[in-house]
Amino acid sequence: MNRLNLAENLIRFRHEKKLTQEEVADFLGVTKASVSKWEKGVNTPDLLLLPQLAAFFGVTVDRLIGYEAQLSSEQIRRQYAELSKGFADLPFTDVLGQARSLAHQYYACYPFLLQLGVLYCNHYMLAPDKEEQEGILREALGWCSRILENCSDVGVCSDALVLKALLHLQLGEAAEAIEALEPSADPSRFAGQDGALLVQAYQLAGDMEKARCYAQVRQYVDLLNLVGDAALALSLHAGDSGHCEETIRRTAGIIGLYHLESLHPNLAAQFYYQAAVAYGMNGKEREALEALGCFGKCVEKLLGKEPIRLHGDSYFHLLDAWIDCLPLGSMAPRDQSFIRQSLQDPLAHPAFDGLREKEGFQRLVRRLVEGGGEDA
């Protein structure tokens, strides 16, 4: 990340132009001693001289002083990773202060502001009390509103709108989430066909590489949406045992067929957890324990020795380039130690009350929450 480094830049630009301090001084109407002091960092030029200096060297004022208002994709990912790890390892208030300082410094870097909102969304629950948690969520909402009001990037604005709705839901503000999403989420709108039309357009234009890549990405994303929607369906039909069992049967088959436990263990874990809750609420303890076992295997992939990374496979062999272009690349949005810390509450769900005395459930808790091995 760049800091202001006017003195070093003055020296570098002057050397690149093969100019002397006297020549720079003559152009600006100042003394050679003044230029020398600027280059040593003793003094800085008068504010009104900066545009003249920048024009003299053929650069922008921002480049002259070394100010970078925008972060690169790699810088955004690095900052997110450092803050995410900080939330897992350091005092919460310290890391929150770092995040706020970065937001202030890069308030016009809307892709970074969006990812800070995602960071808050993934870690706000670490705040010590409900009031502070709400304040953090509303701070992120403010960033989303700023992005939507000022950013010209359609993709960033679309993501900010979805994040805004998610933040409203976490605040219990259903009406506001509906207002944000309803106009664009109508499945009957033509906008839902834009991806397929783009694939056909690439094909017609003779760009088969882009057509194949985009079609594969759409297939992968649609698959993830299907599994995610199935998890939601389980929560919506929790009292209908037959419907839940059929949803679990069909979706588990898709997860296995497309190897999602390996490709996207986080999504697979979310589905198996919801399946376990549905089974538990309907008194099917054996099936609930089996689903929790599948959940545990996925979580253990997330907690492996090496940080989990999104990736393709022999079937989804064109995904990796697309994944590299995602805002966070292939990295997980939460640090591994934070994932382990956050497991205790889900496993305390009332649906599992009948399982707590069973050795299989206790062994799962030891493995996941306490970090014990299979035989701990």
Side-chain angles (χ1 to χ4, degrees):
M1 186 185 310
N2 292 333
R3 302 293 183 188
L4 298 186
N5 50 4
L6 173 62
E8 295 88 342
N9 285 344
L10 283 174
I11 296 171
R12 178 164 62 87
F13 292 142
R14 182 169 61 78
H15 287 171
E16 288 175 357
K17 296 288 186 180
K18 297 182 172 55
L19 297 169
T20 65
Q21 290 182 339
E22 290 92 336
E23 289 173 310
V24 176
D26 288 344
F27 177 81
L28 295 173
V30 299
T31 65
K32 175 181 176 295
S34 295
V35 176
S36 177
K37 289 180 180 179
W38 296 342
E39 293 186 354
K40 291 176 181 177
V42 176
N43 290 330
T44 56
D46 184 273
L47 181 63
L48 296 177
L49 289 177
L50 290 178
Q52 296 181 52
L53 263 172
F56 186 53
F57 291 127
V59 298
T60 64
V61 172
D62 281 356
R63 190 178 173 202
L64 175 69
I65 64 177
Y67 175 70
E68 179 57 75
Q70 301 293 314
L71 293 174
S72 67
S73 297
E74 183 57 39
Q75 288 173 319
I76 291 174
R77 293 174 191 175
R78 186 166 63 249
Q79 287 297 330
Y80 188 102
E82 290 176 1
L83 291 168
S84 178
K85 182 168 177 55
F87 275 129
D89 300 337
L90 301 174
F92 177 77
T93 53
D94 291 354
V95 184
L96 190 66
Q98 294 175 23
R100 285 171 172 163
S101 176
L102 287 167
H104 181 77
Q105 184 175 0
Y106 294 100
Y107 205 45
C109 183
Y110 301 120
F112 181 57
L113 214 55
L114 175 67
Q115 294 311 315
L116 282 181
V118 173
L119 180 84
Y120 272 26
C121 193
N122 284 323
H123 298 87
Y124 77 95
M125 65 291 296
L126 293 174
D129 56 63
K130 293 291 185 183
E131 184 178 354
E132 187 169 358
Q133 289 177 9
E134 179 178 340
I136 290 168
L137 291 174
R138 295 206 179 280
E139 189 175 352
L141 268 176
W143 293 338
C144 289
S145 296
R146 174 173 171 77
I147 292 167
L148 291 168
E149 289 169 5
N150 298 284
C151 182
S152 59
D153 187 314
V154 175
V156 173
C157 287
S158 177
D159 288 345
L161 185 64
V162 173
L163 179 60
K164 184 177 182 180
L166 178 57
L167 292 165
H168 277 305
L169 283 178
Q170 289 173 328
L171 287 163
E173 299 169 347
E176 289 81 352
I178 292 170
E179 182 182 359
L181 291 178
E182 202 169 43
S184 60
D186 185 349
S188 66
R189 293 185 58 179
F190 282 140
Q193 304 176 29
D194 56 355
L197 291 174
L198 182 58
V199 171
Q200 294 176 50
Y202 282 140
Q203 186 177 15
L204 185 62
D207 195 339
M208 296 305 296
E209 182 178 358
K210 279 190 176 180
R212 293 188 185 103
C213 288
Y214 197 83
Q216 189 172 111
V217 168
R218 271 180 52 82
Q219 186 181 2
Y220 173 76
V221 172
D222 287 346
L223 179 63
L224 299 187
N225 288 335
L226 176 63
V227 174
D229 288 346
L232 286 174
L234 289 177
S235 66
L236 293 171
H237 298 275
D240 187 339
S241 177
H243 186 89
C244 285
E245 288 191 44
E246 184 63 12
T247 300
I248 293 168
R249 185 186 70 81
R250 294 188 183 205
T251 310
I254 291 171
I255 289 174
L257 184 63
Y258 284 95
H259 307 294
L260 286 185
E261 290 181 0
S262 174
L263 282 177
H264 208 302
N266 184 50
L267 179 65
Q270 292 176 35
F271 174 78
Y272 285 129
Y273 173 78
Q274 200 60 54
V277 170
Y279 279 134
M281 291 178 66
N282 286 284
K284 297 181 178 294
E285 294 182 356
R286 179 182 60 81
E287 291 87 346
L289 198 55
E290 288 177 357
L292 281 175
C294 294
F295 165 77
K297 289 178 182 178
C298 294
V299 171
E300 286 176 327
K301 290 181 184 295
L302 296 171
L303 298 175
K305 292 182 179 179
E306 295 297 324
I308 193 70
R309 299 284 180 181
L310 288 177
H311 58 83
D313 62 8
S314 58
Y315 180 74
F316 287 113
H317 62 288
L318 302 175
L319 281 186
D320 289 340
W322 170 73
I323 289 171
D324 287 341
C325 294
L326 294 174
L328 297 181
S330 62
M331 65 180 284
R334 292 174 177 170
D335 187 78
Q336 285 177 307
S337 54
F338 177 81
I339 294 174
R340 190 181 296 281
Q341 293 169 24
S342 63
L343 285 171
Q344 195 157 359
D345 286 345
L347 292 174
H349 196 289
F352 307 139
D353 286 347
L355 303 176
R356 302 207 187 282
E357 301 304 317
K358 296 184 180 295
E359 175 57 27
F361 183 84
Q362 294 175 1
R363 189 164 56 245
L364 179 73
V365 172
R366 288 196 295 271
R367 283 190 356 241
L368 299 184
V369 178
E370 301 169 16
E374 181 71 31
D375 300 321

